[in-house]
Amino acid sequence: HVQLVESGGGSVQAGGSLRLSCAASGYTYSSKFMGWFRQAPGKEREGVAAIYTGDGRTYYADSVKGRFIISQDNAKNTVYLQMNSLKPEDTAMYYCAADYGGSWYEVLLHEHYNYWGQGTQVTVSS
């Protein structure tokens, strides 16, 4: 039984920081792609960042490059998303995803992930 459990969301003012965590269980975590996605009300789910747990390669959406950092702790089967310089437009529900079935250049497309967490809300006020 695969479980992805996100935590770390909350409310911050613009310019602040948050760190999200995604703990994976029941899943072979090593040498796999894992991703962070977000969805704001009335908008499509969009890819934010992804990481290949085999060698730590990272991928970012242009909208978060230079502000967000995805990382991993293999001993804990956990992926993190450090979010800095937050903006009101970062407000969304953030989801962790695993079991990627596409090509490396599509890692920020949600269609190719099969397992999802329940989400954690991030709200950034101006």
Side-chain angles (χ1 to χ4, degrees):
H1 175 61
V2 175
Q3 266 198 312
L4 301 176
V5 179
E6 302 103 330
S7 60
S11 297
V12 295
Q13 290 193 323
S17 298
L18 285 172
R19 189 176 83 152
L20 306 183
S21 300
C22 172
S25 61
Y27 177 68
T28 304
Y29 170 91
S30 62
S31 299
K32 297 286 176 64
F33 284 102
M34 292 190 69
W36 283 100
F37 292 77
R38 66 187 180 187
Q39 189 166 19
K43 293 190 175 181
E44 293 282 323
R45 186 167 297 192
E46 64 168 336
V48 174
I51 188 166
Y52 182 66
T53 60
D55 59 12
R57 277 176 291 166
T58 57
Y59 307 81
Y60 296 96
D62 287 344
S63 58
V64 306
K65 277 181 185 174
R67 300 189 299 122
F68 290 12
I69 301 170
I70 188 171
S71 63
Q72 62 189 56
D73 184 335
N74 290 344
K76 296 181 178 180
N77 279 11
T78 299
V79 173
Y80 302 97
L81 186 68
Q82 177 67 43
M83 306 186 295
N84 301 318
S85 302
L86 282 162
K87 304 175 181 179
E89 50 264 43
D90 295 317
T91 295
M93 185 72 79
Y94 282 71
Y95 298 92
C96 174
D99 194 31
Y100 179 70
S103 301
W104 67 267
Y105 48 86
E106 296 178 314
V107 291
L108 295 182
L109 297 181
H110 66 86
E111 292 89 346
H112 296 305
Y113 288 86
N114 294 310
Y115 297 132
W116 293 86
Q118 81 288 350
T120 186
Q121 178 68 38
V122 171
T123 303
V124 184
S125 57
S126 58

